[in-house]
Amino acid sequence: MMKGNLKIHNATIVTPLGREAAQGAAMSELSIVKDGLIIITGGIISYAGPASEAPATRPDEHYIEYDAKGCVALPGFVDSHTHLVFGGFRPDEFQWRLKGESYMSIMERGGGIQSTVNATREASEEELYRKAMWFIDRMSEMGVTTVEAKSGYGLDLDTELKMLDVIARLASDQDCKADVVATFLGAHAVPKEFAGRTSEYIDYIITEVLPKIKDKARFCDVFCERNVFEIEDSRRLLQAAEEMGLKLKLHADEIVQLGGGELAAELKAVSADHLLHVSDEGIRKMADNGVVATLLPLTAFALKEPYAPARKFIDGGAAVALATDLNPGSCFSGSIPLTIALACIYMDMTVEEVITALTLNGAAALGMADRIGSLEGGKRGDVAILATDNYNVLPYYVGMNCVKTTVRGGCIVAELK
Ligand code: NIG
Ligand code: FE
């Protein structure tokens, strides 16, 4: 981790507070401090609050001084759902979708995820690493300081391991501008070697793959979807993963309503993601069981699908996180600004809720809300400083970046010229 000493002066500090997800109405509660000072010592926030009340720092400790000139300082954004390690690209598939073919029909005829699997199996570790690093650099410019990265384009032991090794290399790289969290998504699609034998593929993952990757990922995820991995197979896989010490995530109710939200609640998953077609029952059970609803508006936008019911989740007392879903197929975008605009314009989230969804609740979706996601003592010194003193610019800048400076662990990692 980066461990800088930094003082951010003259900041308008805007942040949720707490060490766990903010649920429902609590998502709107932000702390706002004008004339604020943030002191980051050895990468960790030692003070964030009014400059007038700040403690003195030790004279022998050297700090870089940064003048925020009144601009808004937010917690660094947490992009808690991405597929940023992959081989190849799929621009032609995008054209087929524009002409009316559906995402699932492309997948069923061997395109879609399978086509990225072919390219990822062929790609070298170095190629995958460089490409992922390029995305992380761009995301850092948009204020992202923590990013989740999934495997799932290998679908065989060797390539899943190759992907997880790339993710581990990103995570340990001193020059990487974001903290990287690994998720194993071996159940992303049924590979051609197992065509028509979905349950056998799940057996293969449980017996051959999970034991060998279990120490390389924090989460196990599954594409729980009609004609991909249905409820029974998803449950069986996730239960086995949990027994091996992994925490759980699901791609749930993305294309049709299958009961993925309910399954996430039953298994007490950390998050269920997508949820475009979640049932009211699924929403209630997720709220009751503290499962974070990670909503991915860029995917709905790119697939021309209806947006997930963010208001129902929040009004029903659930914790909502927002993430990009950056991937080469359904959503080739890692745009935090567009995510924010879509969430406010089409999902009726308020800007305060969006801030919480991209910070504290994103952190909670990664089981890290005790360490990141807010600007308060003891948390990591991850900060996104905007170009103005008014946080209402976030959705107003439609698809345009309003982050001026990104700080990770007290080190300035991106700065707009
Ligand atoms: O989150 N739906 C499943 N997985 C990804 C898309 C992966 C791909 O199309 O390559 C998603 O949308
Ligand atoms: Fe995804």
Side-chain angles (χ1 to χ4, degrees):
M1 154 185 162
M2 295 190 182
K3 292 182 178 166
N5 281 359
L6 180 71
K7 289 185 185 175
I8 303 173
H9 299 274
N10 301 318
T12 301
I13 303 172
V14 177
T15 182
L17 294 174
R19 288 180 150 69
E20 44 194 57
Q23 294 193 237
M27 286 184 65
S28 307
E29 292 165 15
L30 299 181
S31 152
I32 301 173
V33 176
K34 285 201 175 11
D35 299 318
L37 170 64
I38 303 170
I39 306 177
I40 302 168
T41 310
I44 303 290
I45 299 174
S46 49
Y47 178 78
S52 56
E53 294 168 25
T57 49
R58 286 173 35 178
D60 59 329
E61 219 146 20
H62 176 71
Y63 285 83
I64 302 215
E65 314 277 340
Y66 178 96
D67 183 358
K69 300 187 176 136
C71 291
V72 170
L74 300 168
F77 295 132
V78 179
D79 190 347
S80 63
H81 181 140
T82 87
H83 309 247
L84 59 74
V85 177
F86 59 86
F89 292 97
R90 285 152 47 199
D92 297 339
E93 182 182 310
F94 193 83
Q95 288 300 316
W96 303 336
R97 285 213 312 274
L98 290 180
K99 289 186 180 129
E101 192 171 357
S102 75
Y103 178 81
M104 288 309 278
S105 115
I106 294 168
M107 181 164 170
E108 276 152 20
R109 63 186 179 83
I113 293 170
Q114 186 60 52
S115 106
T116 300
V117 169
N118 297 339
T120 306
R121 287 179 180 179
E122 274 169 29
S124 70
E125 210 176 295
E126 189 60 26
E127 241 174 283
L128 295 174
Y129 171 80
R130 281 177 196 280
K131 196 161 155 188
M133 197 59 132
W134 188 88
F135 291 125
I136 292 174
D137 285 350
R138 301 289 80 70
M139 294 162 96
S140 170
E141 291 162 4
M142 296 182 272
V144 173
T145 49
T146 302
V147 68
E148 182 250 22
K150 300 177 195 293
S151 71
Y153 292 122
L155 313 186
D156 60 24
L157 177 62
D158 287 351
T159 319
E160 288 294 310
L161 278 173
K162 176 169 75 177
M163 292 189 74
L164 290 169
D165 285 343
V166 169
I167 295 168
R169 200 176 139 198
L170 293 165
S172 64
D173 189 328
Q174 285 302 318
D175 295 329
C176 188
K177 293 182 177 171
D179 189 18
V180 183
V181 176
T183 293
F184 170 64
L185 179 56
H188 197 188
V190 179
K192 52 183 185 288
E193 300 80 7
F194 282 87
R197 298 185 291 134
T198 304
S199 279
E200 283 175 49
Y201 180 56
I202 294 289
D203 293 339
Y204 165 75
I205 299 182
I206 293 175
T207 57
E208 304 294 328
V209 186
L210 271 179
K212 302 198 176 71
I213 63 85
K214 67 178 169 36
D215 298 323
K216 294 174 184 273
R218 187 175 304 168
F219 292 96
C220 179
D221 194 345
V222 54
F223 188 14
C224 176
E225 189 62 52
R226 164 105 346 115
N227 297 331
V228 191
F229 300 100
E230 305 237 358
I231 295 291
E232 256 323 301
D233 282 324
S234 301
R235 181 189 286 114
R236 198 156 65 85
L237 170 72
L238 292 173
Q239 282 173 338
E242 187 173 33
E243 276 168 26
M244 291 193 217
L246 292 160
K247 300 205 176 309
L248 309 181
K249 286 182 171 290
L250 290 85
H251 281 65
D253 299 319
E254 177 181 358
I255 315 282
V256 301
Q257 188 174 103
L258 199 67
E262 289 88 330
L263 180 64
E266 174 196 319
L267 298 175
K268 302 219 177 337
V270 176
S271 76
D273 303 28
H274 283 291
L275 301 161
L276 274 51
H277 300 280
V278 66
S279 70
D280 290 347
E281 182 77 350
I283 293 174
R284 192 181 58 72
K285 289 185 168 165
M286 283 176 61
D288 288 350
N289 288 280
V291 180
V292 177
T294 300
L295 309 183
L296 309 161
L298 291 171
T299 313
F301 175 69
L303 291 178
K304 272 188 161 178
E305 292 288 335
Y307 293 88
R311 278 266 55 90
K312 280 192 180 181
F313 273 109
I314 298 172
D315 297 341
V320 166
L322 287 163
T324 64
D325 196 23
L326 170 63
N327 75 71
S330 64
C331 177
F332 187 46
S333 174
S335 175
I336 294 291
L338 191 55
T339 299
I340 293 171
L342 295 175
C344 289
I345 300 168
Y346 291 110
M347 295 160 84
D348 297 328
M349 289 175 70
T350 66
V351 63
E352 290 82 6
E353 289 166 346
V354 163
I355 289 171
T356 300
L358 274 170
T359 58
L360 186 61
N361 285 2
L366 296 180
M368 295 172 77
D370 57 335
R371 275 161 283 167
I372 57 170
S374 62
L375 297 176
E376 55 190 310
K379 293 224 183 171
R380 210 155 61 198
D382 294 351
V383 191
I385 302 168
L386 306 187
T388 86
D389 63 356
N390 181 350
Y391 65 78
N392 286 328
V393 295
L394 285 165
Y396 168 68
Y397 272 43
V398 177
M400 293 195 295
N401 189 21
C402 60
V403 172
K404 182 172 69 173
T405 305
T406 306
V407 174
R408 181 185 172 220
C411 301
I412 294 174
V413 288
E415 185 143 45
L416 209 76
K417 292 283 173 288

